[in-house]
Each structure stands twice: as C-alpha cells, then as structure tokens.
Amino acid sequence: MSTHTLPEVVADPAITSALAADLTSAGFTVDGVDGLWGADAAAALHRGNRVPALRALAARESSPLGTLATLFVLGLPVARTAADAAFPSVGVDELVRAGIVRVEETDGPDVDTVDDAGQVRPAVDLRPYAFVDDAGAGSWWIVSDLGELALGAALDEEHVLGIGGATTTLSGLQVPVPVRRVLDLGTGCGIQAMHARRFADQVVATDISRRALDIARFNAELNGLDGIEFRLGSLFEPVAGERFDRIVSNPPFVITPRTEGVPSYEYRDGGMVGDALVETVLRGLADHLEPGGTAQLLGNWEHHWGVDGLDRVRGWFADTDLDVWVVERERQDPNRYAETWIRDGGTKPGTPTFDRLVGAWLDDFQERRVIGVGFGYVVVRKPRSGGPAGLRRFERVPETLGSNPAGLGATVARVLDAAEWLAAHDDVALASAHLRVAGDVTEERFYWPGNDDPTVMTLVQGGGFGRRVDADTALAAFVGACDGELSVAAIVGALAQITGVDEQALAADLLPAARDLVLDGLLTPA
C-alpha cells in the first residue's frame, strides 16, 4: 500500500480560471498530447509503458505542451524554469496552494516555494479528455490522483480514480434526454456529474469521500461548469426524502474480503460483504425516482453455487413496480476476479503480498459459496402511473456485442420507449399497428452450394447492441414487408394466404417475435 501524502485539492475560482487559460494556450488537448509522441507511444502508455513517449519527447524541442504532458500525463518532474514557462497565468506557487503540484529543491526536502534551481512534481494527475454525445463533441481537463505508473507503488486507500473503461461505459449509457434534476451517486472525480449536467438543469453529486468531492468540485470549476451541487455522505443519506428525474451511479461495487490486512479502496470498495452494496443501491432506487424517472448504473453480482447471479438480481426487484433491464456483459471465475482487482490496486503478481491477497479473496469466495462474479449494466425506470412493471429483462450479452459503449444511451432511451409502447399494446392493438424496419437492419443469408433456398437467415442490427436474430422464412418475409404502410394483421394475413398456412397459427408465431424485434429496435412503430 502506498504511504505517500495526498495533497488537499482546493477549488479556488481564480486559480482554476488561470490554469484553464494556460492549458488552453499550450494546446493541452487529447490530439495535442497524442501528437507529441504518436499513436504507438500513446498505446504503450495505456499499457503502463512510458519509455516510447519519453524517447519521442527527447527528440523534440521543449515547449509548454511538452512540459504539461511530462508533468501530468507521464507523472515526471520538470525543471522549475520549464514549469514557470508553462504556467504564465496561474503561476507555480498558486498551483502548489491548490494542491496540483509540489516543488522541491534539487538537494533538499520538499518546500512550498523554491528558486529556479528546483524541480516541480505533479501532486495529482491532470489530463485532457474528449468525447462525443448527443449534445455534440466536447472536451475537458480532468484531475484525479496519481496512478501506479507515476507513484511507482501501490495506490493509497483514499485514491480518487480518474477516467477508465467504466467511466466511458457509464457516460455512454446515460440517457441523452433533457431533465430537471439528476443524482450522481458516488461521484468520484465528478466525471459522471459533468456528463449529466449536459442534459440536466441541476445535478446533485454525492460521495463518502471528502477528497473525492474536493477533486470533483475542482474539475467542475476548471471546466466552467455550474449547476452541480456536491454533498458528503454514504449512499442515499445525503438526498433523504428527495426524488430525481435520473440517477446515475458507478458505485464502489468491487467485491472485497473483509479480512484484516486487505486494503479497502474508497473508490471501489463499499465496505459491505459480497455484493450487498449493489443490492442496497438497487433496492433504494424506487424511493428516489420521480414517476417516469430513469436510472443507469454499473455493478457486480455474485453467482452462488446453485443460484444464478441474474436470478439474484431479479429477486432484488421482486417487490417493486420498476421497469428493469439488466445486461450481464462479463462473468469472471473467482481466481480471475481476485487477480484483476488486486492488480488494479497496484500490487504486482509474484510478490508475497499478491499471493497473500489472492488467498484472502479465494477464502472469502469459498466460504460464501461464490463460483463467479458477473459485471454489467442496470437500467431502471419508474412507471409514470401505477400498475405492474412492463419491462423485466435479464440477459447476457457477449462482449463482442455492444463493445463500444459510447452512444448506448440513445439505445437505452429507445428500449425504454419501446417497452412503454408495448405495454400499452395488447395483441389486438399490436395487430392493428403499423411497423417499420429500422434503417440499420440488414439480412444475411447462407446457402448450401447449388441450393436455391437459404439454410440460415439472420437479421442483423447495425447499431445499438448489434443484435443478431435468427429468422425463418415467415419472419424474414414479415420483417421485409414492414414498411409502415400495412398493419401487422394485414401482413400476417397476406403471408398466410401466400404460404397456405393457418392465419391464426402464423399470428401466434409472429406476434411474440414482433414484440421482441420492437423491444430490440429492429422494428419501430410507424
């Protein structure tokens, strides 16, 4: 475990404004930084190897952009003179006061200010971030705590995580529909609250970590975002009695043994046994959503001996009227899960500490009869009116489907709308409806050599989760006829007449299939 001292991060508007001006002037953007060392070096950095980037920088003339990239992206010290040139507006001393950098004499202890003979070291990670959502392209600078590469040691238990795969997954899942109020439960560095603010009048961001809230507040100030209120507290305690139009959360869902000597990282460990924290969050959604409100979350859930993980999640919603859609993207066995999260904390394989921690994880799983851990998405909606839930969908989607989470929020919104439409249309109403094939749907056909009739037909969705639906001749013909002109009943009747099949029997086959295709987005109500 790291023993370095975490600096207090102070969000002074004068400092953040001047820092933003310096970052802008230097061209400290994703494209600008990647241009310093090229795509191969950037890929090596993602693998924890900064040597190619350093070699590329050494071959270039020094510049403020190179200084910023060395300091904040590579996590290496720079000369005081270079730092002064890179921060002409804010000044190094003000960044020290804000907890962004620290300075030290070349041959002496750390001090608050030094002369030109000293060095400036990063106190936090600060890097550019670019994205595209339904509101358009955007870019920010995001502060978080220094990672393992910069520290050269395991992470501190109070570590505030920056942008990772879970970040982009959840931001992509957020429904891009304007609303009044959003709750970001467990905001961390504040990135989800910032994304939510693009589609909300007001965002409330909570966290149990005061340090996380300080960094999140700094990020909002640095990027000129208002309308975000930061509150300290655990789970729903800071918003007791309040309701929201949307709740987003990347909760500390990592399953960690409650064994002495096992570090508990605030950014990922909720302090409860097993997946109890995820269960607590999901069970609490109903009390904090407005009618028609939605929630998008990430989570882990345990598969127990004889009990499927998705069945356990289904049970958490059994007594609610919420619409629920749970997608399990991945399942790891206990060994892989333990290795993943021990390594995530900065403990390297092959060390005595790593082996001891693996043993603690496996003992915990064995004692509680855990045979695997699922990871995935949870989408929830509170119906606008009373009555039973219209959507209860618990499915496994391989990683190859929907592998790019960016933009899935539009898919989530469409599925929720489709579920609401289907709930209002019984089979009689569905038969009278007019459907249209979505524009991204194609059909694949495979033939045995010399045969005129296809042996396999598959409907393929180009966007969303990239669904692939096996179809027989009747379903393929039905979908092909859905152009919005004829009703479902008229198409079924025509197909029955052409094929000589009983119309009622054909309708009994095609109507449930049509429902699934509408829910998946391959067919849309005209």
Side-chain angles (χ1 to χ4, degrees):
M1 195 185 328
S2 176
T3 57
H4 73 287
T5 301
L6 294 173
E8 180 183 2
V9 175
V10 180
D12 183 327
I15 294 177
T16 55
S17 176
L19 174 58
D22 288 337
L23 298 177
T24 300
S25 177
F28 193 54
T29 65
V30 171
D31 289 341
V33 171
D34 286 349
L36 281 174
W37 41 59
D40 290 343
L45 270 177
H46 284 294
R47 300 191 300 269
N49 175 14
R50 59 188 172 194
V51 173
L54 285 169
R55 291 170 65 89
L57 284 177
R60 300 175 66 97
E61 185 175 341
S62 62
S63 67
L65 177 58
T67 298
L68 294 173
T70 301
L71 187 66
F72 292 127
V73 179
L74 303 184
L76 295 172
V78 298
R80 175 64 187 257
T81 51
D84 286 336
F87 301 112
S89 300
V90 66
V92 171
D93 291 343
E94 287 297 277
L95 291 182
V96 171
R97 188 169 71 84
I100 303 303
V101 301
R102 59 189 180 92
V103 293
E104 60 185 25
E105 295 177 349
T106 304
D107 298 315
D110 291 359
V111 291
D112 287 339
T113 59
V114 296
D115 58 23
D116 287 346
Q119 284 188 322
V120 176
R121 291 184 176 273
V124 295
D125 184 292
L126 192 168
R127 63 184 64 207
Y129 167 65
F131 59 91
V132 178
D133 60 20
D134 279 45
S139 62
W140 294 321
W141 302 287
I142 301 297
V143 169
S144 61
D145 274 326
L146 292 169
E148 179 190 352
L149 183 64
L151 294 174
L155 305 180
D156 191 277
E157 291 188 25
E158 296 182 1
H159 180 87
V160 176
L161 193 65
I163 295 170
T167 302
T168 54
T169 295
L170 182 57
S171 64
L173 283 174
Q174 289 197 36
V175 174
V177 175
V179 293
R180 191 173 66 88
R181 297 186 79 212
V182 173
L183 169 64
D184 176 16
L185 188 70
T187 192
C189 71
I191 186 65
Q192 300 302 332
M194 295 167 66
H195 274 291
R197 179 65 176 88
R198 288 169 65 83
F199 299 95
D201 297 332
Q202 179 194 15
V203 177
V204 176
T206 70
D207 208 288
I208 197 172
S209 166
R210 190 177 299 277
R211 174 170 179 75
L213 292 178
D214 288 343
I215 287 179
R217 189 177 292 108
F218 189 97
N219 284 329
E221 291 277 0
L222 179 62
N223 293 285
L225 295 178
D226 59 6
I228 304 176
E229 180 184 352
F230 299 95
R231 300 184 190 177
L232 180 68
S234 177
L235 299 180
F236 293 105
E237 291 175 1
V239 294
E242 297 182 52
R243 293 183 181 270
F244 298 85
D245 303 298
R246 183 172 304 138
I247 298 174
V248 298
S249 182
N250 179 15
F253 56 70
V254 176
I255 296 165
T256 305
R258 300 301 149 203
T259 306
E260 185 176 354
V262 176
S264 178
Y265 298 100
E266 283 186 339
Y267 74 89
R268 72 181 203 190
D269 304 325
M272 298 184 185
V273 175
D275 53 17
L277 183 131
V278 174
E279 177 182 358
T280 300
V281 171
L282 297 184
R283 288 185 182 275
L285 293 174
D287 293 334
H288 295 280
L289 282 174
E290 295 279 10
T294 67
Q296 297 91 56
L297 309 92
L298 305 182
N300 273 177
W301 39 84
E302 295 178 341
H303 292 259
H304 292 173
W305 183 261
V307 183
D308 187 83
L310 286 180
D311 287 340
R312 297 183 64 247
V313 179
R314 183 182 286 107
W316 299 343
F317 291 101
D319 298 328
T320 74
D321 63 349
L322 298 174
D323 291 330
V324 182
W325 179 24
V326 179
V327 178
E328 184 174 275
R329 282 288 314 282
E330 182 182 5
R331 176 177 170 180
Q332 290 187 338
D333 63 74
N335 293 313
R336 178 79 176 275
Y337 190 85
E339 293 165 6
T340 296
W341 293 109
I342 295 169
R343 186 67 190 88
D344 176 80
T347 302
K348 297 181 179 180
T351 63
T353 300
F354 186 90
D355 293 346
R356 176 179 60 81
L357 292 176
V358 169
W361 247 276
L362 297 184
D363 286 344
D364 175 63
F365 284 145
Q366 183 177 18
E367 181 181 346
R368 296 187 298 103
R369 299 170 63 84
V370 176
I371 61 172
V373 179
F375 165 80
Y377 320 145
V378 179
V379 175
V380 166
R381 178 177 57 190
K382 189 177 183 66
R384 292 181 175 86
S385 57
L391 175 64
R392 286 294 169 96
R393 194 177 203 189
F394 300 82
E395 62 176 331
R396 292 183 173 87
V397 178
E399 288 187 74
T400 53
L401 300 183
S403 57
N404 180 12
L408 283 183
T411 299
V412 170
R414 187 204 51 71
V415 169
L416 293 175
D417 288 344
E420 189 172 41
W421 186 87
L422 289 168
H425 287 71
D426 59 15
D427 282 351
V428 174
L430 178 61
S432 300
H434 294 242
L435 302 178
R436 180 179 290 113
V437 183
D440 62 345
V441 175
T442 57
E443 181 185 296
E444 294 178 352
R445 294 192 175 204
F446 296 89
Y447 299 81
W448 288 115
N451 283 12
D452 293 332
D453 297 326
T455 56
V456 178
M457 289 181 288
T458 305
L459 302 174
V460 181
Q461 183 181 46
F465 278 90
R467 306 279 187 179
R468 297 178 63 86
V469 180
D470 291 336
D472 58 17
T473 303
L475 181 59
F478 172 80
V479 172
C482 287
D483 59 3
E485 297 296 325
L486 297 175
S487 69
V488 169
I491 295 173
V492 172
L495 290 176
Q497 185 175 10
I498 293 172
T499 60
V501 176
D502 180 77
E503 184 172 343
Q504 289 187 338
L506 186 60
D509 287 338
L510 290 180
L511 287 182
R515 286 186 177 276
D516 289 340
L517 292 174
V518 169
L519 188 61
D520 286 334
L522 283 78
L523 293 177
T524 61

